[in-house]
Amino acid sequence: MIFLRSASCSSRSYRPVTVREEDRTIEMPAIQAVFRAIGKSAMKGNRFAQKTLAELVTSVEAVDHESSVALFGTAVEYKLAWSQEIERCEKDGIEPPRPVPHPANIILDPASGKVRFEGPQTKEQREQLEACLARRDEAQEEVSYIAEKYRPSRSEKMRALYLDGWHWEQRMFDIINNAVPRRYKANLENRSYRDGASRSGHALVELAKDKRMRGEYLGESHSEEP
């Protein structure tokens, strides 16, 4: 079996080559062309090609398994260490650190050995998430404020205006809430269930289907409580 031992050798393995396939030619990395040729020979019954292909597949699977085991072990150590440090700081009344990724966002599956990340993995992603959560909080405040104004109002015109703003902010809340990782989701208080109001978990689909803009809700009459 051939092992790639140098950068120059590796670069040659991935240089583009032209391969003829029936009446057309295609371009692919040299190493891919080699695997392709071995695979075709193996399918035609070439025993040497079959043996070589089996060895290659076994080698790749072994490397992949080793990488998965190493990643899982590193993730376990990272999650445990940061969880303990955060717990210690909270117990001592100290502002806890904010590692990225946060240990609570690292999901470990011992049965499969898989590691999953449900949250920001860089500081930039964390800043974007925090900005989205701040806008969602603002939408919640607006929904609660408008709901208080809407319910006692007896003016059809004002009720229509209130309901329009209510549904606009509710949709904004749902769009953001639907997009954030599970750990950051929240329940909207004072949700409207009137026609035109977004539903939790469906806001993006509804928005894609609904061509009406915010201003087109103005002037509609709504006489029932949401």
Side-chain angles (χ1 to χ4, degrees):
M1 186 175 293
I2 300 175
F3 295 90
L4 303 181
R5 297 184 181 277
S6 67
S8 60
C9 184
S10 178
S11 62
R12 288 197 299 271
S13 298
Y14 287 92
R15 74 183 188 279
V17 297
T18 300
V19 178
R20 177 170 292 280
E21 185 177 89
E22 297 179 353
D23 59 344
R24 65 192 181 96
T25 58
I26 56 178
E27 192 175 88
M28 65 180 65
I31 189 67
Q32 183 178 344
V34 172
F35 285 144
R36 188 186 185 91
I38 294 175
K40 285 187 174 182
S41 296
M43 291 176 65
K44 291 179 180 179
N46 186 306
R47 293 186 178 181
F48 177 76
Q50 291 172 346
K51 182 176 182 298
T52 302
L53 184 61
E55 290 176 350
L56 287 171
V57 171
T58 300
S59 176
V60 170
E61 289 180 344
V63 171
D64 182 64
H65 175 71
E66 290 176 3
S67 299
S68 297
V69 170
L71 174 61
F72 190 85
T74 300
V76 169
E77 293 177 1
Y78 178 96
K79 184 180 178 74
L80 179 61
W82 277 116
S83 296
Q84 291 177 339
E85 178 62 15
I86 292 173
E87 183 178 356
R88 182 190 69 80
C89 291
E90 292 177 342
K91 183 178 180 180
D92 295 340
I94 304 172
E95 183 176 353
R98 304 176 65 207
V100 181
H102 193 282
N105 292 335
I106 301 177
I107 312 302
L108 304 174
D109 184 356
S112 65
K114 299 294 184 181
V115 180
R116 191 173 73 258
F117 297 90
E118 292 188 351
Q121 299 181 45
T122 66
K123 290 183 179 180
E124 291 75 17
Q125 291 177 353
R126 183 177 66 188
E127 291 173 357
Q128 293 174 358
L129 174 62
E130 290 174 346
C132 289
L133 296 179
R135 179 62 183 91
R136 186 188 66 184
D137 292 343
E138 180 183 329
Q140 173 64 84
E141 292 178 2
E142 289 296 315
V143 164
S144 296
Y145 173 78
I146 296 172
E148 292 181 1
K149 293 288 186 180
Y150 174 88
R151 292 191 176 103
S153 177
R154 293 294 176 264
S155 167
E156 291 299 321
K157 181 178 179 180
M158 291 306 299
R159 285 169 68 85
L161 289 171
Y162 287 142
L163 195 63
D164 173 57
W166 189 342
H167 287 179
W168 176 260
E169 292 298 332
Q170 178 168 309
R171 186 182 296 277
M172 183 63 66
F173 180 100
D174 285 338
I175 288 175
I176 296 174
N177 201 56
N178 294 349
V180 300
R182 179 173 50 186
R183 173 171 171 251
Y184 300 94
K185 292 187 183 299
N187 293 321
L188 177 67
E189 298 178 5
N190 294 300
R191 175 175 292 279
S192 169
Y193 295 95
R194 291 296 309 276
D195 290 342
S198 62
R199 295 172 296 163
S200 178
H202 301 276
L204 287 174
V205 175
E206 294 168 347
L207 186 62
K209 294 180 178 179
D210 190 353
K211 296 181 179 179
R212 293 176 299 176
M213 300 300 290
R214 177 175 183 256
E216 294 178 347
Y217 287 106
L218 298 178
E220 293 181 5
S221 175
H222 304 284
S223 58
E224 300 178 6
E225 293 291 334

